[in-house]
Amino acid sequence: MLSHLAHATRRIRLGTSVLVVPYRNPIVTAKMLATIDLVSGGRVILGAGVGWLQEEFEALGSPSFSDRGDVTDEYLTLMRQAWTTDPVSFAGRHYTLRDVHVLPKPVQRPTIPIWIGGHTGSALSRAGRLGDAWHPIGLRPPALLEPDEYGAKVARIHDAARKAGRDPGAVTLTFRAPMAVRPRGAKAPAGDRPLLQGSVDEVAADIRRYEAVGVTHVVFDATTQDLRGLLSNLERFAHDVRPKLAIRRPRKTARGTRQ
């Protein structure tokens, strides 16, 4: 799907939200992502997670469910090495290879950005130690991640980054959640209003609350399975909400790709 979208688009970033890393061979995955990055002109983002359903690990013959965190850390380290060195040698607990040429390399330098999914303590530590960004899902069980809670978890990510000798500011903060803009003139439903669901002004104000705790990228989930309704919602956001926000425009790199 990503390779098809790479052909069908020119500027939009292409990402996984999220890829369960232990399900797949890390070298094959690294090569696939690098190829898509090459044909898209440097537009791939790897959203990465550890997985949560033990039965899926068993069905796929994946590494042990209990080892999924360590496996993910090791595989991501290996994938970054595959994108930046040639030949590649790696000796880990879960994967070993020696003097292997892994081509092509991605267009993006130094590597394809890795957005770490999840909201647990382990995920926060992983985002600080290894991630280019934190990419949690919120505003639905089991993680609400309303702005105050989100901000508190960011502090833990920054602490993990400092302990790993990294600049905390190098970890981009993102958020994925359901979003619905109520049509103008439509009556508000009774009861408490979910964040990112409401009038034009309410949705814009909610996004600003997340911006205040450091969020720079928001990925929206649909609240309806109706295609027309989904597209209408996106149009209301684009035409009515987006102009109220301080949108950061993509910048061109020396290679002509967009970041």
Side-chain angles (χ1 to χ4, degrees):
M1 181 183 291
L2 288 179
S3 61
H4 173 79
L5 292 173
H7 174 73
T9 62
R10 292 293 178 267
R11 293 188 300 168
I12 193 168
R13 300 301 298 267
L14 309 170
T16 57
S17 182
V18 293
L19 192 76
V20 179
V21 173
Y23 287 173
R24 298 167 176 84
N25 180 287
I27 292 299
V28 174
T29 304
K31 284 175 62 66
M32 288 177 172
L33 290 167
T35 299
I36 299 169
D37 197 63
L38 182 66
V39 300
S40 70
R43 293 185 282 137
V44 169
I45 295 170
L46 170 58
V50 302
W52 63 274
L53 188 61
Q54 183 170 350
E55 290 82 355
E56 289 186 351
F57 280 74
E58 294 169 354
L60 293 170
S62 300
S64 168
F65 180 76
S66 61
D67 288 336
R68 66 192 186 282
D70 289 340
V71 169
T72 297
D73 290 353
E74 188 170 297
Y75 282 14
L76 290 177
T77 300
L78 171 55
M79 289 165 70
R80 274 217 178 99
Q81 191 166 326
W83 292 330
T84 57
T85 64
D86 191 70
V88 181
S89 294
F90 186 86
R93 178 184 167 200
H94 303 283
Y95 204 97
T96 299
L97 76 166
R98 182 177 178 83
D99 295 335
V100 173
H101 297 284
V102 183
L103 300 171
K105 301 301 184 188
V107 171
Q108 296 182 88
R109 296 290 186 268
T111 73
I112 292 170
I114 298 174
W115 290 14
I116 302 296
H119 61 277
T120 65
S122 296
L124 301 178
S125 173
R126 183 172 296 106
R129 291 182 290 105
L130 296 175
D132 298 298
W134 181 38
H135 184 55
I137 300 174
L139 302 185
R140 66 185 191 189
L144 290 182
L145 296 180
E146 294 184 351
D148 289 346
E149 181 185 6
Y150 187 102
K153 291 186 182 295
V154 169
R156 296 175 63 182
I157 291 172
H158 286 175
D159 183 59
R162 281 189 288 267
K163 289 179 179 178
R166 302 181 66 205
D167 174 11
V171 183
T172 299
L173 300 176
T174 83
F175 190 51
R176 175 180 160 187
M179 182 276 296
V181 182
R182 190 169 65 248
R184 293 188 182 275
K187 185 177 179 181
D192 294 336
R193 179 185 67 83
L195 288 174
L196 298 181
Q197 298 183 47
S199 69
V200 168
D201 289 336
E202 287 170 335
V203 173
D206 292 341
I207 293 174
R208 292 192 198 98
R209 288 180 62 191
Y210 281 100
E211 184 181 23
V213 295
V215 172
T216 57
H217 296 67
V218 182
V219 176
F220 295 129
D221 283 334
T223 60
T224 176
Q225 297 301 309
D226 172 60
L227 179 58
R228 288 186 178 180
L230 186 154
L231 295 176
S232 295
N233 184 51
L234 291 177
E235 288 176 357
R236 285 193 294 275
F237 179 86
H239 296 156
D240 299 331
V241 178
R242 196 170 185 268
K244 294 178 178 290
L245 305 172
I247 302 295
R248 300 182 183 182
R249 301 293 179 182
R251 61 180 177 82
K252 289 206 171 186
T253 68
R255 289 177 172 265
T257 60
R258 292 178 180 267
Q259 302 291 328

